[in-house]
Amino acid sequence: MVAQTGSIRQAATALNVSPSAVNRQILAVEEEMETPLFHRHSSGLTLTTAGELLLAAIISGKRDFELFQSRLDRLSGLHGGAVEIAAIEAVSDRLIPDILSDVTKQHPRVEFKLQTLDFKAIWQAVSRNEVDFGISLAGKSSRQVRIVSTLQAAIGFVVRPDHPLAQRDHARLNHVFGSKLILPDSTLAVGAAIQEGLAQHNVNLHPTFTSNRIASIKALIRSGLGVGMLTQMDVMNEVKAGELCFVPLTESGIRPLGFCLFYNTQRRLSAAAQTTLDLITENFHALAEQNAEVAS
């Protein structure tokens, strides 16, 4: 990285370590090899002939080892190891379990580590190369972080099947005036999106219940205590099981919540991690088609 950037400070930033740590490592190798690896100028660092030879050897060795790992994976057919995922609650409790069940059938010896974090922590975990990939609120790709797939999750009312709203294909805000409401608070992404949309319409719904946990909101709805507002993804399993009904909102000010699947381009994904990534991408596409059908 120092050879690529020509700067210890820039390399340290890219590697997310301190400049002094990078400098110590270079000095240690130079001392061991008894030759300088870099010419140090006021404008930066450039490789010496010895440095160029060492870098070429490192790159060649890395390619050889990656080829060895690939051949070993194909030979064993087991693809052991671990897949590390960081995801927000909206997908970690619903979408991910079914996908991991499919992956374990193909890779029975793989271990999975699933962390449920807030959306900012997920982007940080991927940027620091701490996990194989993340699923969080929509963001932007960069040189280091690549977005594989995106999904727009519609926001709407959530009710029990015996509620009058359950018979509707769509609903407006005025359909719940006078009803007891159960809303996510603004610490949740869906809660913040709802509050922003309501502000655009100059509407205050005066909820009877608020919560910072999606699971608690669904429990209150199931108990018949009122009408909830969540994303379609939040209740996909309950809708499939016939426990709850999702009724999309037609107000344009309350926009769908965007999710994205992304990974660090500097990370070499194992066969199991790549399979998991591909399955989540397929599910995102399938859900996007379902959302389009609901919208139409």
Side-chain angles (χ1 to χ4, degrees):
M1 187 58 68
V2 174
Q4 180 180 324
T5 61
S7 165
I8 287 178
R9 185 171 297 279
Q10 290 182 36
T13 300
L15 297 170
N16 199 32
V17 296
S18 67
S20 60
V22 174
N23 190 48
R24 283 197 302 271
Q25 292 292 337
I26 292 174
L27 292 175
V29 177
E30 288 180 327
E31 182 178 352
E32 182 178 348
M33 296 184 65
E34 298 182 347
T35 185
L37 300 177
F38 289 94
H39 296 296
R40 290 161 171 81
H41 311 286
S42 58
S43 58
L45 285 75
T46 57
L47 287 168
T48 63
T49 301
E52 291 175 353
L53 290 173
L54 177 58
L55 182 60
I58 290 171
I59 293 173
S60 176
K62 185 173 182 289
R63 289 201 195 101
D64 290 344
F65 185 68
E66 288 176 349
L67 179 61
F68 162 75
Q69 285 185 312
S70 177
R71 288 174 176 172
L72 185 62
D73 283 344
R74 290 196 295 269
L75 178 64
S76 66
L78 297 176
H79 304 305
V83 178
E84 298 184 67
I85 308 168
I88 54 178
E89 183 186 358
V91 296
S92 65
D93 292 349
R94 287 161 287 285
L95 181 68
I96 297 298
D98 290 342
I99 292 173
L100 296 191
S101 175
D102 292 338
V103 176
T104 53
K105 293 174 184 176
Q106 301 179 46
H107 305 282
R109 300 185 66 175
V110 172
E111 297 176 358
F112 292 91
K113 181 179 179 182
L114 175 61
Q115 301 180 59
T116 301
L117 305 171
D118 67 67
F119 74 97
K120 290 182 180 179
I122 295 170
W123 281 94
Q124 291 172 354
V126 173
S127 298
R128 294 170 181 169
N129 210 2
E130 296 172 352
V131 295
D132 286 307
F133 53 86
I135 306 174
S136 185
L137 299 183
K140 295 181 179 179
S141 290
S142 64
R143 182 174 62 86
Q144 190 174 0
V145 176
R146 180 174 300 162
I147 295 176
V148 180
S149 183
T150 60
L151 174 67
Q152 298 295 316
I155 293 175
F157 297 118
V158 180
V159 295
R160 296 199 322 184
D162 58 356
H163 193 281
L165 270 181
Q167 308 306 315
R168 303 187 65 91
D169 293 329
H170 299 84
R172 298 182 64 83
L173 289 173
N174 58 17
H175 289 135
V176 297
F177 288 172
S179 299
K180 291 184 176 180
L181 295 177
I182 307 166
L183 301 185
D185 69 22
S186 58
T187 62
L188 293 174
V190 61
I194 291 170
Q195 291 301 322
E196 181 182 348
L198 293 177
Q200 290 187 21
H201 288 276
N202 294 317
V203 173
N204 190 340
L205 292 180
H206 300 291
T208 305
F209 306 94
T210 59
S211 176
N212 64 347
R213 293 190 69 246
I214 292 173
S216 298
I217 294 170
K218 291 189 291 187
L220 292 169
I221 298 169
R222 279 194 293 263
S223 298
L225 293 175
V227 178
M229 286 183 72
L230 292 170
T231 72
Q232 188 175 16
M233 186 178 291
D234 290 324
V235 293
M236 56 186 297
N237 289 349
E238 290 79 7
V239 170
K240 188 184 299 183
E243 298 174 4
L244 296 173
C245 295
F246 178 81
V247 186
L249 266 169
T250 57
E251 263 82 4
S252 59
I254 300 181
R255 294 186 293 271
L257 201 60
F259 298 90
C260 63
L261 170 66
F262 52 101
Y263 72 99
N264 192 310
T265 56
Q266 297 180 348
R267 192 178 189 91
R268 180 183 180 275
L269 297 179
S270 66
Q274 186 64 58
T275 297
T276 307
L277 193 73
D278 293 342
L279 281 173
I280 295 175
T281 300
E282 291 174 10
N283 274 266
F284 268 33
H285 291 163
L287 286 171
E289 291 176 0
Q290 291 177 20
N291 290 346
E293 291 175 2
V294 170
S296 62

